[in-house]
Amino acid sequence: MAQVIAHVTMSLDGFMAGPDVGTAFPMGRGGESLHQWIFDGSSEVDAAAVRRQFALTGAVLLGRRTFDVGVDVWGDTPYPVPCFVLTHRPEPVRSARSGTFTFVHTGLSDAVEQAIAAAGERAVTLMGADVVQQVLRAGLLDEIHLQLAPMLLGGGRRLFEHLGTGHIALEQLASEKSPHVTHLRYRVVK
């Protein structure tokens, strides 16, 4: 069965997007700087992490807000695989050049099940803080692939906000550093 993975870049102060996320600033003000490691091209460690994530991803589960602010920027699906949008506002399946967007309004468990079925032997990659938090709270997250960027955004959308007060144990699987980010991989202990 496919693993469910949160693949996220985060600032040292815990933000995965800057303030004022919207269509004008899809990553929030200053948030695009979090992802410079992907486009820089000067680090083989970073390039290998990008290749690994694309090779792992068989389906994507994202939130409606992430879809709304990202779809025009991407101009396609964020990965060349089926994408499932968790939403309260359903709409018909939307085809893109590299995959489809299926809008799931029947709940988190159903969205995760559909994404797992579509991923086959590969993983489901989560996108969006709300989706990551919901999947983690529901005990459905298998791994966290975290890129820790050496910056302080000072505000925006935190990755690990709204998780409650329960303890969540993680087992470190790997860490690699580049000049741009530190790549950390954790397994969620269940």
Side-chain angles (χ1 to χ4, degrees):
M1 186 164 79
Q3 285 192 306
V4 179
I5 297 173
H7 186 267
V8 179
T9 302
M10 179 177 83
S11 64
L12 280 172
D13 52 351
F15 296 101
M16 62 180 287
D20 303 320
V21 171
T23 54
F25 298 100
M27 288 300 303
R29 292 184 190 274
E32 68 282 344
S33 60
L34 289 169
H35 295 101
Q36 290 305 311
W37 68 273
I38 296 171
F39 307 106
D40 180 87
S42 65
S43 167
E44 179 51 34
V45 170
D46 294 341
V50 170
R51 287 191 303 270
R52 180 175 49 247
Q53 191 59 34
F54 271 85
L56 276 172
T57 301
V60 172
L61 176 59
L62 64 154
R64 181 63 191 238
R65 180 177 171 165
T66 301
F67 170 82
D68 287 343
V69 301
V71 68
D72 290 337
V73 175
W74 304 321
D76 195 2
T77 55
Y79 291 81
V81 297
C83 296
F84 297 86
V85 181
L86 184 61
T87 184
H88 295 291
R89 299 183 328 242
E91 58 182 82
V93 172
R94 187 183 296 189
S95 293
R97 189 172 56 254
S98 299
T100 55
F101 290 101
T102 300
F103 297 83
V104 183
H105 67 282
T106 51
L108 178 67
S109 294
D110 189 37
V112 170
E113 286 175 20
Q114 287 185 46
I116 287 172
E121 296 298 314
R122 294 165 65 195
V124 174
T125 293
L126 304 180
M127 293 181 67
D130 288 336
V131 166
V132 171
Q133 291 165 16
Q134 288 179 54
V135 172
L136 187 55
R137 277 194 315 265
L140 301 173
L141 187 62
D142 295 305
E143 291 186 8
I144 298 170
H145 296 190
L146 182 66
Q147 281 61 237
L148 193 57
M151 66 181 66
L152 302 171
L153 282 179
R157 185 71 172 126
R158 290 189 186 273
L159 176 58
F160 297 119
E161 201 165 43
H162 309 298
L163 289 178
T165 59
H167 177 77
I168 298 170
L170 304 173
E171 173 190 354
Q172 186 167 332
L173 300 174
S175 70
E176 297 177 281
K177 68 177 186 168
S178 81
H180 310 290
V181 293
T182 301
H183 301 274
L184 303 165
R185 289 189 296 147
Y186 298 96
R187 183 178 63 81
V188 179
V189 177
K190 296 180 181 180

